[in-house]
Amino acid sequence: MSNVWSLLKKGNKPSLLAALVNLFLGVLKGVAFFFTGNIAMFAEMMHSLGDSANQFFVFIGSALSKKAPTRQFPKGFGRVVNLVCLGAVLIVGILSYETIKEGWHQITHPAPSNGMWISLSVLAIGIILEGVVLMKAAKEILHESNESATFFTVLPKAFTHLNRAKPATKLVFMEDLVATSGGVLAFVAVIIAHFTGFLQAEGIASILIGFMMFYVVGVIFLENARGVIGETDEETLNHIAHLLWEDKNVRDIQKLEVVKEGEFLHVEVLAEIDPSLTFAEVDDIRDHLMKILLSQTKVSKVTIAFDEDDGITNWNHIDDHPNNMK
């Protein structure tokens, strides 16, 4: 039990915060929908409950992904978070369909709703709380990217560095961005329906919210599908290639792999060195390179092997060729 608790403490904190906030909002919006019958409120209720469920699963997955490697699973459990994210987006996909279906029903068979002020109050609370979680996720993205920002530049910078965020953090950010936008959309739809009598506005808002949810499903599904298969981090690969070339003992790079394992990166290097070096000198070179590579952001495992220099350049990345490093 203590091992499980220690793992949970390592889980993605924005995911847990988002799960709790969305659970509260889902219940609150459900009560509001019960009293008002507002379709836009129904869409927001489904969205919040769906987000709460999958973000809780993502929190669990991010914690389990940090479990130490075992004899049966020597490469560790890093990709568990990708698998959990794939399962999470299926939940969002189902709720997206239900949201769109109810919105279409409101458009084709418009029905008035009651309690405008109840709806607006609940939606305003939702927008504020979702906005807080969104800002928290944006700050986490910058933290994971080793970037800093002021209050007014947090969101723009988060978009810029979104691809460098951990899968769980990225999921939270995108879902809460849609949730906040959807809340604003539903807020406007309730006002339009009440003051103009255009009841279809709530149905249109519901459908738009559903399609935004589907967009998140598509983006997160594709990204985590690549993560499950095993995707190369090209930016880090090129950076590590430069670091290797900067070492005077490295004559060539036969093989270099930087694979995403959940929230972390695993590096495998096969470098060519001077065959006349002693075993002790080679061991010192390996220790030096290990220290450098393990200090890189998100790199958690490094495997280094050496071969004798054959005088032929194998590394084909032109930008990293030693002739271009001068």
Side-chain angles (χ1 to χ4, degrees), residues 46 49 62 74 79 87 92 119 132 136 150 165 194 206 226 242 249 257 269 296 305 325:
M46 295 291 277
L49 291 178
S62 68
R79 299 188 193 185
V92 181
S119 297
V132 170
K136 174 70 175 176
T150 64
H194 180 80
S206 181
R226 293 195 301 267
H242 278 286
N249 294 294
E257 292 182 354
V269 178
Q296 303 306 304
M325 298 292 292

Side-chain angles (χ1 to χ4, degrees), residues 281-319:
E281 290 173 326
V282 171
D283 189 56
D284 289 341
I285 295 170
R286 180 184 179 278
D287 290 343
H288 174 67
L289 292 176
M290 286 286 288
K291 182 178 179 181
I292 292 175
L293 299 187
L294 283 172
S295 68
Q296 303 306 304
T297 305
K298 297 183 183 179
V299 174
S300 64
K301 181 179 179 180
V302 176
T303 303
I304 300 177
F306 296 110
D307 196 1
E308 62 179 342
D309 181 18
D310 58 8
I312 302 173
T313 302
N314 294 287
W315 190 247
N316 294 320
H317 287 58
I318 296 176
D319 292 339

Side-chain angles (χ1 to χ4, degrees), residues 82-269:
N82 298 114
L83 288 171
V84 172
C85 285
L86 285 177
V89 296
L90 292 179
I91 298 175
V92 181
I94 294 170
L95 296 180
S96 301
Y97 167 76
E98 292 296 329
T99 301
I100 293 172
K101 186 176 74 172
E102 289 300 321
W104 179 251
H105 180 76
Q106 175 67 8
I107 291 175
T108 54
H109 301 86
S113 58
N114 303 310
M116 180 192 72
W117 292 112
I118 295 176
S119 297
L120 292 181
S121 299
V122 170
L123 288 172
I125 292 172
I127 292 169
I128 293 171
L129 292 180
E130 294 284 11
V132 170
V133 176
L134 179 64
M135 291 296 290
K136 174 70 175 176
K139 291 178 180 178
E140 189 69 16
I141 289 173
L142 297 183
H143 173 71
E144 294 169 1
S145 305
N146 293 320
E147 298 287 339
S148 59
T150 64
F151 178 81
F152 296 102
T153 61
V154 168
L155 279 178
K157 277 200 165 188
F159 279 108
T160 303
H161 300 286
L162 188 58
N163 288 332
R164 298 169 61 185
K166 296 177 181 178
T169 306
K170 186 172 183 178
L171 176 63
V172 172
F173 179 81
M174 293 192 67
E175 285 191 339
D176 277 283
L177 177 64
V178 170
T180 306
S181 304
V184 173
L185 194 61
F187 192 94
V188 173
V190 170
I191 294 176
I192 292 175
H194 180 80
F195 288 104
T196 67
F198 182 58
L199 303 179
Q200 290 87 343
E202 295 176 1
I204 293 172
S206 181
I207 289 177
L208 290 176
I209 291 170
F211 276 119
M212 286 192 295
M213 292 165 69
F214 264 128
Y215 173 75
V216 172
V217 167
V219 172
I220 298 299
F221 179 86
L222 290 175
E223 176 169 324
N224 285 281
R226 293 195 301 267
V228 169
I229 296 170
E231 183 183 16
T232 296
D233 188 311
E234 289 289 346
E235 181 181 354
T236 306
L237 184 144
N238 290 325
H239 175 64
I240 288 178
H242 278 286
L243 294 176
L244 292 172
W245 280 124
E246 287 175 356
D247 191 298
K248 66 180 186 304
N249 294 294
V250 175
R251 301 287 182 83
D252 193 12
I253 303 173
Q254 282 192 22
K255 178 183 178 182
L256 174 58
E257 292 182 354
V258 180
V259 180
K260 295 179 181 179
E261 293 287 344
E263 299 178 355
F264 301 102
L265 300 174
H266 288 186
V267 179
E268 185 175 346
V269 178

